Amino acid sequence: MSVRPHRPRRLRSHAAIRGLVREHRLHPEQLILPLFVVEGSGVREPIDTLPGVERLSIDQVFEVIETACSLGVRSFALFPKIEADQKTTDGAAAVNQSGLACRAMRAIRDAYPDVSLVGDVALDPYSSDGHDGIVRDGRVLNDETVEILAKQALLLAQAGADIVAPSDMMDGRIGAIRAELESAGQAETVIMSYAAKYASSFYGPFRDALDSAPIRREGVPLDKRSYQMDPANGQEAVHEASLDIEEGADIVMVKPGLPYLDVVHRLADTLPVPVAAYHVSGEYAMLRSAAALGCVDYEQALQESLICLVRAGARIVLTYGALDYARLYQKEHGHA
Ligand code: PBG
């Protein structure tokens, strides 16, 4: 037998040893579960392209939050599905205090004072054009959009959001939102900016869930490339995130997740704030579809995907698989 001073396999010989030397762990409380909210009560609508995820009326959201809390997941991001007849080209319903987003936020806040709630700031659920900003003459307007986003963020904060999360990628919106929050006395509201959000094909199922894809009409851009980032760019993500931090962001997000691990790593290495990664709808749907075909084991592939995001540097992960992950965690660790 040869003498080998180095045998890395020594540290892999059984589960307890592997547990001792494991470099990264992901606790369920680092997860944020995105929830699609609809009007009505007792409503649970499946989403064809997002197997295992449903649109929920507010009472059903309560049930999911109960389950989540019992599993150690206590952060939720709300996305309202707005009826088509309430959508306009200026997305005005985004600043309706009694609209679905603010109503759901208030109801959940009142019922669950201890959970953390994320309010999404962008116009796409409210835009008849399917864009995150106001469209005019074939362009998505920046500064006019920022004004309405700042108001939307304030309303969500006043309705009970601990965290507002601008997912729109307009320039300067973090500064405008921070100023609006400060001047209205909402100094403690956290801003989690979608700082490096790429123009990705992996958002398809999300747009199905909200019926929010850009529409095919003369004068409406068909894609979001004039505001979301080019997938070919990495350094630009550092610039985007640095600007957001300067303007007052507390957490910066990279989105999508797995195809952009290098970006997660870069931001986590260079910036002084927590980095979040969004394991987006298309990534989640790929796991489900591959599992349905017998190509991968869903649970193992989910665990691997999420820990890879953490290894790259994410401290927070948004995923539709949060409850599945937490169930596995509970099974393996015997507690939440
Ligand atoms: C839009 C928004 C999108 C997602 C979150 N916010 C889609 C888009 O930019 O078109 C995608 C999330 C997912 O795919 O899970 N403000």
Side-chain angles (χ1 to χ4, degrees):
M1 239 178 60
S2 44
V3 174
R4 297 190 194 281
H6 300 294
R7 290 181 189 267
R9 288 185 55 190
R10 289 182 196 122
L11 298 182
R12 296 176 205 141
S13 63
H14 68 93
I17 299 285
R18 290 192 293 272
L20 269 183
V21 300
R22 185 158 295 130
E23 294 179 38
H24 297 282
R25 290 192 158 76
L26 175 61
H27 189 276
E29 78 179 346
Q30 292 169 265
L31 300 175
I32 299 178
L33 174 65
L35 294 169
F36 298 113
V37 189
V38 289
E39 295 285 3
S41 81
V43 183
R44 277 183 181 255
E45 295 172 357
I47 301 155
D48 290 345
T49 54
L50 204 48
V53 179
E54 295 166 313
R55 299 184 197 94
L56 307 167
S57 53
I58 295 173
D59 59 308
Q60 298 300 304
V61 167
F62 280 24
E63 292 193 10
V64 171
I65 291 179
E66 292 282 339
T67 306
C69 288
S70 74
L71 292 166
V73 174
R74 36 190 200 156
S75 296
F76 307 91
L78 307 184
F79 295 98
K81 176 167 192 283
I82 304 301
E83 301 298 327
D85 62 4
Q86 290 177 35
K87 299 188 186 190
T88 54
T89 194
D90 63 358
V95 288
N96 177 359
Q97 264 188 54
S98 46
L100 179 60
C102 286
R103 246 185 304 124
M105 191 64 74
R106 265 191 299 274
I108 300 166
R109 175 80 296 153
D110 290 349
Y112 301 96
D114 297 331
V115 301
S116 80
L117 298 175
V118 182
D120 184 60
V121 180
L123 299 189
D124 53 306
Y126 309 93
S127 160
S128 50
D129 300 321
H131 277 285
D132 292 34
I134 301 167
V135 180
R136 196 177 302 149
D137 303 329
R139 309 273 311 154
V140 177
L141 305 182
N142 195 86
D143 297 7
E144 293 82 346
T145 299
V146 168
E147 261 178 60
I148 183 165
L149 294 176
K151 296 198 183 88
Q152 180 186 27
L154 177 59
L155 290 181
L156 288 166
Q158 288 170 335
D162 305 273
I163 302 174
V164 291
S167 62
D168 56 286
M169 290 297 280
M170 299 300 121
D171 293 332
R173 88 278 206 219
I174 301 299
I177 291 168
R178 181 54 81 205
E180 186 87 10
L181 291 170
E182 287 284 320
S183 64
Q186 292 285 344
E188 287 186 2
T189 304
V190 172
I191 300 179
M192 174 167 70
S193 81
Y194 287 64
K197 176 171 179 178
Y198 286 87
S200 171
S201 50
F202 294 107
Y203 306 149
F206 176 98
R207 294 178 188 171
D208 288 343
L210 296 188
D211 193 17
S212 64
I215 61 152
R216 268 176 198 283
R217 192 201 295 143
E218 180 70 23
V220 177
L222 260 182
D223 59 54
K224 300 190 175 181
R225 288 180 217 201
S226 77
Y227 48 107
Q228 299 179 348
M229 282 178 57
D230 183 338
N233 296 354
Q235 179 167 43
E236 187 187 352
V238 180
H239 183 49
E240 278 281 4
S242 306
L243 290 174
D244 287 359
I245 294 168
E246 253 170 60
E247 291 176 31
D250 304 286
I251 300 170
V252 292
M253 193 200 295
V254 175
K255 171 185 181 187
L258 286 190
Y260 298 87
L261 288 183
D262 59 314
V263 179
V264 173
H265 191 244
R266 243 199 244 219
L267 297 196
D269 253 16
T270 48
L271 301 175
V273 302
V275 173
Y278 200 143
H279 180 244
V280 300
S281 59
E283 298 179 78
Y284 171 84
M286 284 200 299
L287 295 186
R288 287 288 193 182
S289 313
L293 291 173
C295 302
V296 299
D297 177 277
Y298 166 70
E299 295 182 341
Q300 285 178 16
L302 177 69
Q303 282 179 312
E304 182 178 334
S305 300
L306 302 185
I307 201 65
C308 287
L309 290 164
V310 172
R311 191 197 63 237
R315 217 181 294 170
I316 300 167
V317 180
L318 291 94
T319 175
Y320 302 93
L323 300 191
D324 295 326
Y325 177 86
R327 272 189 207 99
L328 292 165
Y329 188 93
Q330 200 168 58
K331 207 157 61 179
E332 285 169 15
H333 299 262
H335 58 84

